[in-house]
Amino acid sequence: MAGSSDDKGLGEEQQTGFAAASLADYEAIYRLVLTAYNYRCALTGEQFAAEAGLLHPHLAVEAIRPRDMGGPLQINNYLVLEEHAARAFRQGQILIDDDYRIVVPNPDALDRAVLVRLNVSGRLLVPAEGLFQPSPAHLAFHRLRVLGA
Protein backbone atom coordinates (compact mmCIF):
# COMPACT_ATOMS: atom_id res chain seq x y z
CA MET A 1 0.00 0.00 0.00
CA ALA A 2 1.54 3.33 -1.04
CA GLY A 3 2.29 5.66 1.83
CA SER A 4 1.87 2.89 4.39
CA SER A 5 4.35 2.28 7.15
CA ASP A 6 4.11 -1.40 6.25
CA ASP A 7 7.41 -2.29 4.55
CA LYS A 8 5.95 -5.28 2.72
CA GLY A 9 2.83 -3.49 1.53
CA LEU A 10 0.47 -6.12 2.95
CA GLY A 11 -1.43 -3.76 5.23
CA GLU A 12 -0.77 -5.95 8.24
CA GLU A 13 0.63 -4.81 11.54
CA GLN A 14 3.97 -6.21 12.54
CA GLN A 15 3.69 -8.93 15.17
CA THR A 16 5.13 -8.14 18.56
CA GLY A 17 6.69 -10.45 21.09
CA PHE A 18 8.94 -12.21 18.58
CA ALA A 19 12.16 -10.41 19.35
CA ALA A 20 15.40 -12.17 18.55
CA ALA A 21 16.11 -14.89 21.08
CA SER A 22 19.48 -15.70 22.53
CA LEU A 23 21.20 -19.05 22.28
CA ALA A 24 20.34 -19.59 25.95
CA ASP A 25 16.64 -19.05 25.14
CA TYR A 26 16.79 -21.66 22.37
CA GLU A 27 18.61 -24.11 24.62
CA ALA A 28 16.05 -23.61 27.39
CA ILE A 29 13.06 -24.24 25.11
CA TYR A 30 14.85 -27.22 23.55
CA ARG A 31 15.40 -28.83 26.96
CA LEU A 32 11.89 -27.96 28.15
CA VAL A 33 10.26 -29.52 25.08
CA LEU A 34 12.35 -32.70 25.32
CA THR A 35 11.45 -33.01 29.00
CA ALA A 36 7.74 -32.32 28.43
CA TYR A 37 7.63 -35.09 25.82
CA ASN A 38 9.74 -37.34 28.08
CA TYR A 39 12.20 -37.92 25.20
CA ARG A 40 9.48 -39.61 23.12
CA CYS A 41 8.76 -38.98 19.46
CA ALA A 42 5.30 -37.40 19.19
CA LEU A 43 4.61 -39.20 15.89
CA THR A 44 5.95 -42.69 16.57
CA GLY A 45 5.85 -42.89 20.37
CA GLU A 46 9.41 -44.21 20.39
CA GLN A 47 11.21 -43.59 23.69
CA PHE A 48 14.83 -42.40 23.72
CA ALA A 49 17.31 -42.00 26.54
CA ALA A 50 18.10 -38.49 27.73
CA GLU A 51 21.45 -37.22 26.47
CA ALA A 52 23.89 -34.99 28.32
CA GLY A 53 25.07 -33.17 25.18
CA LEU A 54 23.56 -29.99 23.80
CA LEU A 55 21.73 -31.74 20.94
CA HIS A 56 20.02 -35.11 21.09
CA PRO A 57 21.47 -37.51 18.51
CA HIS A 58 18.11 -39.03 17.49
CA LEU A 59 15.43 -36.46 18.36
CA ALA A 60 14.64 -33.11 16.81
CA VAL A 61 12.75 -30.34 18.55
CA GLU A 62 10.78 -29.19 15.52
CA ALA A 63 8.95 -25.87 15.20
CA ILE A 64 5.40 -26.30 13.94
CA ARG A 65 5.31 -22.69 12.76
CA PRO A 66 8.92 -21.73 11.97
CA ARG A 67 10.33 -18.72 13.78
CA ASP A 68 11.11 -16.98 10.48
CA MET A 69 7.39 -17.21 9.69
CA GLY A 70 6.26 -15.62 12.95
CA GLY A 71 6.32 -18.72 15.13
CA PRO A 72 6.85 -18.02 18.82
CA LEU A 73 9.56 -19.48 20.99
CA GLN A 74 6.92 -21.21 23.15
CA ILE A 75 6.54 -24.88 24.01
CA ASN A 76 3.15 -25.14 22.26
CA ASN A 77 4.89 -24.37 18.95
CA TYR A 78 7.25 -27.34 19.13
CA LEU A 79 7.16 -31.11 18.73
CA VAL A 80 9.73 -33.74 19.64
CA LEU A 81 10.23 -35.93 16.60
CA GLU A 82 12.58 -38.75 15.70
CA GLU A 83 14.94 -37.47 13.00
CA HIS A 84 13.25 -39.26 10.04
CA ALA A 85 9.76 -38.32 11.21
CA ALA A 86 10.97 -34.71 11.62
CA ARG A 87 12.11 -34.62 8.01
CA ALA A 88 8.74 -35.96 6.82
CA PHE A 89 6.90 -33.37 8.95
CA ARG A 90 9.06 -30.51 7.59
CA GLN A 91 8.43 -31.68 4.02
CA GLY A 92 4.67 -31.83 4.58
CA GLN A 93 4.42 -35.59 4.18
CA ILE A 94 2.82 -35.73 7.63
CA LEU A 95 0.20 -33.28 8.89
CA ILE A 96 -1.56 -33.01 12.24
CA ASP A 97 -5.25 -32.11 12.63
CA ASP A 98 -6.42 -29.83 15.44
CA ASP A 99 -7.55 -32.93 17.38
CA TYR A 100 -3.98 -34.35 17.05
CA ARG A 101 -4.99 -36.94 14.46
CA ILE A 102 -2.03 -37.83 12.22
CA VAL A 103 -2.73 -37.29 8.52
CA VAL A 104 -0.56 -38.69 5.74
CA PRO A 105 -1.83 -37.00 2.55
CA ASN A 106 0.12 -39.28 0.21
CA PRO A 107 1.21 -42.53 1.92
CA ASP A 108 3.13 -43.63 -1.18
CA ALA A 109 5.41 -40.57 -0.88
CA LEU A 110 6.26 -41.23 2.78
CA ASP A 111 9.25 -43.44 3.60
CA ARG A 112 7.75 -46.82 4.48
CA ALA A 113 10.08 -47.09 7.51
CA VAL A 114 8.42 -43.96 8.95
CA LEU A 115 4.88 -44.90 7.88
CA VAL A 116 4.89 -48.25 9.68
CA ARG A 117 6.22 -46.66 12.89
CA LEU A 118 3.53 -43.97 13.24
CA ASN A 119 1.51 -44.23 16.46
CA VAL A 120 -0.94 -47.13 16.10
CA SER A 121 -3.60 -44.91 17.70
CA GLY A 122 -3.33 -42.60 14.68
CA ARG A 123 -2.87 -39.68 17.06
CA LEU A 124 -0.01 -37.47 18.08
CA LEU A 125 1.55 -38.20 21.47
CA VAL A 126 1.28 -34.96 23.45
CA PRO A 127 2.24 -33.91 26.99
CA ALA A 128 -0.47 -34.27 29.65
CA GLU A 129 -0.14 -30.60 30.62
CA GLY A 130 -2.50 -28.59 28.41
CA LEU A 131 -0.19 -25.56 28.19
CA PHE A 132 2.52 -27.78 26.69
CA GLN A 133 0.32 -29.32 24.00
CA PRO A 134 0.67 -28.14 20.39
CA SER A 135 -1.43 -25.11 19.57
CA PRO A 136 -4.24 -25.77 17.06
CA ALA A 137 -3.41 -22.39 15.48
CA HIS A 138 0.19 -23.47 14.81
CA LEU A 139 -0.96 -26.85 13.49
CA ALA A 140 -3.41 -25.06 11.15
CA PHE A 141 -0.58 -22.78 9.97
CA HIS A 142 1.56 -25.84 9.15
CA ARG A 143 -1.29 -27.51 7.20
CA LEU A 144 -2.06 -24.29 5.31
CA ARG A 145 1.60 -23.73 4.42
CA VAL A 146 2.04 -27.32 3.24
CA LEU A 147 -1.23 -27.66 1.37
CA GLY A 148 -1.11 -24.13 -0.03
CA ALA A 149 -4.80 -23.65 0.71
Side-chain angles (χ1 to χ4, degrees):
M1 206 185 310
S4 169
S5 62
D6 179 18
D7 294 336
K8 295 188 172 132
L10 300 174
E12 296 177 300
E13 292 182 30
Q14 184 176 11
Q15 293 183 346
T16 59
F18 296 108
S22 71
L23 183 57
D25 293 336
Y26 281 107
E27 184 177 353
I29 195 76
Y30 182 87
R31 293 284 172 211
L32 179 61
V33 174
L34 284 171
T35 302
Y37 280 84
N38 196 29
Y39 294 86
R40 290 180 86 93
C41 174
L43 286 169
T44 68
E46 293 170 285
Q47 178 79 52
F48 292 86
E51 293 285 331
L54 179 61
L55 297 176
H56 197 283
H58 304 291
L59 292 171
V61 174
E62 193 69 35
I64 301 167
R65 181 177 185 159
R67 296 266 300 148
D68 62 355
M69 295 181 175
L73 192 61
Q74 297 172 345
I75 193 169
N76 69 356
N77 185 41
Y78 291 89
L79 296 171
V80 172
L81 302 173
E82 178 275 331
E83 58 191 324
H84 300 99
R87 186 176 317 112
F89 181 77
R90 276 192 307 273
Q91 294 173 348
Q93 295 173 325
I94 298 174
L95 306 174
I96 310 298
D97 274 342
D98 290 349
D99 64 357
Y100 304 133
R101 186 173 53 89
I102 299 170
V103 177
V104 180
N106 184 0
D108 293 332
L110 182 59
D111 180 351
R112 180 115 176 104
V114 174
L115 184 63
V116 299
R117 292 184 2 249
L118 293 176
N119 283 340
V120 294
S121 70
R123 300 184 107 51
L124 195 67
L125 175 76
V126 297
E129 172 60 49
L131 292 174
F132 295 172
Q133 295 174 357
S135 161
H138 300 315
L139 294 171
F141 178 89
H142 179 259
R143 289 191 308 271
L144 184 64
R145 182 172 63 97
V146 167
L147 298 174

